[in-house]
Amino acid sequence: MTSLNSPLASNGNGEARNDWTREEIAALFDLPFDDLMWEAQGVHRRHHAHGEVQLCTLLSIKTGGCVEDCGYCSQSKSADSGLKATKLMDVRAVLQAAAEAKDAGSKRFCMGAAWRNPKDRDMPAIVEMVEGVRQMGLETCMTLGMLTREQAQTLAVAGLDYYNHNIDTSPENYENIISTRTFQDRLDTLEEVRNAGINVCSGGIVGLGEARSDRVGFIHALATLERHPESVPVNALVPVKGTVLGDMLADTPLAKIDDIEFVRTIAVARITMPKSMVRLSAGRESMSEATQALCFMAGANSIFTGDKLLTTANAGDGKDAALFAKLGLRPMESEEPMRAQMEAAE
Ligand code: SAM
Ligand code: DTB
Ligand code: SF4
């Protein structure tokens, strides 16, 4: 078992470790729950302003009709979810939605497209969206599928702050969830994003019917990247009728991820990637306040706000405001100055 006195999360000089072994990560998952939470809280308080939660807003700028076959996704052509496919949104409509998100207190605006990869003819509109949202003083994030080197560089020049590209699950479970691309394809795009100088947002989904060892493998893959992703979204599967995994969950309700196991995953992400923002992402709508509170205690410090994620429902601003008041949480002002302060104090 991992010693609780060891400098688990850093290599002793304040740098985040990227030499985690699977055994070490499995040992964290195996800790008694209170030891795991204690350790995660300690790491969280050493590296972040505790009690502050970053608010991000999602917008689906191109919905449905996706040629990929991700087993969880309502937007895949292979799913029978009844979702109507749309074209890429008009730039002005995107900027209008961003302005509304800003008025609601959001600091990051994440734009998602149901593409395997963007076509070069889409890039001018994408660039206009990034530039326009940035001019409003919001942090920008895009998730558009796989990128070529040139596309990553175009987004970097446009000033894109973050690119979201999830590895989703362990390398060995990947082909059970998605057959139209490989785990290595994901890593290749992450490398292009990193090399272009864009901040990396990469995480995954739990509750796909995966084994604990897959959750270990998922965190291990992220925590051993040369540089940890700046943002790590952890999604709980939102079961959508007509998708392979949504239907699986409807048929076998016992396959639903246990709440405590979900909290453990957040805690292990926090400990192994101490400086990253860990986002409690999809799945909050059906999560109790108590489970969400445990996720924040385990080190989650970012959420998606608003009534809608991309195509499914989210908890909503009213519920979140009430939860923040109950828990004494505060919306984070902006991540960058906060990170600089924490690093200066280390
Ligand atoms: N097409 C792009 C891609 O796959 O990278 C961007 C959009 S995709 C919807 C972004 C991420 O949302 C996925 O990688 C997955 O982690 C998450 N996601 C999609 N559907 C979900 C669901 N039903 N429940 C939980 N997370 C989901
Ligand atoms: C991420 O990890 N989760 C977000 C964002 N990145 C793009 C998407 C969640 C989607 C949930 C299902 C839906 O609304 O379609
Ligand atoms: Fe397409 Fe992304 Fe959905 Fe996969 S997760 S089907 S790539 S939109």
Side-chain angles (χ1 to χ4, degrees):
M1 177 172 301
T2 314
S3 158
L4 286 180
N5 297 322
S6 64
L8 277 169
S10 77
N11 60 10
N13 59 14
E15 292 299 309
R17 284 182 53 192
N18 66 354
D19 59 353
W20 292 97
T21 63
R22 281 201 181 212
E23 291 70 30
E24 284 177 300
I25 295 175
L28 289 172
F29 268 99
D30 285 345
L31 282 172
F33 189 66
D34 61 343
D35 288 342
L36 178 62
M37 293 296 277
W38 175 265
E39 189 60 40
Q41 255 293 302
V43 171
H44 188 57
R45 283 173 187 247
R46 280 197 292 283
H47 292 276
H48 299 270
H50 69 274
E52 289 196 355
V53 179
Q54 176 192 49
L55 306 184
C56 311
T57 300
L58 269 173
L59 177 69
S60 181
I61 58 171
K62 194 269 165 229
T63 305
C66 184
V67 296
E68 302 271 34
D69 69 353
C70 312
Y72 46 75
C73 187
S74 61
Q75 306 199 66
S76 167
K77 263 187 177 168
S78 336
D80 190 12
S81 62
L83 195 72
K84 192 171 158 282
T86 66
K87 289 206 196 114
L88 181 63
M89 272 174 81
D90 179 67
V91 177
R92 272 172 313 172
V94 172
L95 298 187
Q96 175 64 35
E100 286 165 17
K102 186 173 182 199
D103 287 346
S106 194
K107 298 291 177 237
R108 186 178 300 179
F109 195 63
C110 308
M111 295 160 268
W115 284 329
R116 174 174 165 84
N117 53 266
K119 298 202 173 59
D120 284 341
R121 64 162 191 260
D122 299 316
M123 291 307 284
I126 294 290
V127 164
E128 270 189 68
M129 291 174 195
V130 172
E131 290 173 346
V133 173
R134 250 187 139 231
Q135 273 166 17
M136 292 177 189
L138 284 165
E139 290 178 346
T140 51
C141 180
M142 287 254 170
T143 178
L144 313 170
M146 293 186 240
L147 296 181
T148 62
R149 177 159 310 168
E150 292 67 34
Q151 288 172 333
Q153 285 166 352
T154 302
L155 291 173
V157 170
L160 182 69
D161 297 297
Y162 290 81
Y163 194 77
N164 166 249
H165 201 65
N166 290 345
I167 60 160
D168 278 331
T169 188
S170 66
E172 58 277 17
N173 193 35
Y174 204 75
E175 65 181 21
N176 298 327
I177 308 298
I178 300 147
S179 78
T180 46
R181 59 170 189 256
T182 64
F183 194 79
Q184 187 59 46
D185 288 331
R186 293 311 256 192
L187 297 181
D188 290 348
T189 290
L190 288 176
E191 195 177 330
E192 296 300 353
V193 169
R194 186 52 94 201
N195 289 342
I198 302 169
N199 290 305
V200 170
C201 172
S202 187
I205 313 191
V206 291
L208 304 167
E210 76 282 354
R212 157 81 68 89
S213 58
D214 293 313
R215 292 186 281 279
V216 170
F218 152 59
I219 302 267
H220 180 258
L222 294 173
T224 53
L225 288 173
E226 196 174 324
R227 275 177 63 191
H228 294 164
E230 280 75 15
S231 292
V232 178
V234 182
N235 299 277
L237 176 70
V238 179
V240 178
K241 200 163 173 281
T243 61
V244 174
L245 290 163
D247 290 347
M248 179 273 295
L249 215 61
D251 292 342
T252 47
L254 285 179
K256 185 180 178 302
I257 180 100
D258 175 70
D259 286 347
I260 297 295
E261 183 68 10
F262 184 79
V263 177
R264 281 185 184 274
T265 310
I266 298 268
V268 176
R270 164 51 64 230
I271 294 168
T272 52
M273 294 172 277
K275 297 184 181 185
S276 306
M277 304 293 290
V278 175
R279 183 169 311 123
L280 170 55
S281 301
R284 285 196 309 117
E285 209 247 343
S286 62
M287 217 174 263
S288 70
E289 287 190 339
T291 301
Q292 292 188 61
L294 284 174
C295 289
F296 294 125
M297 287 177 70
N301 59 349
S302 177
I303 57 167
F304 286 121
T305 58
D307 298 336
K308 203 169 169 200
L309 294 166
L310 290 173
T311 67
T312 64
N314 193 26
D317 294 339
K319 274 193 200 162
D320 285 342
L323 182 62
F324 273 41
K326 211 183 258 193
L327 300 178
L329 297 173
R330 305 173 301 283
M332 187 176 289
E333 266 315 305
S334 182
E335 183 196 342
E336 292 308 328
M338 186 275 308
R339 186 184 289 154
Q341 276 170 25
M342 298 300 290
E343 281 176 4
E346 270 169 13

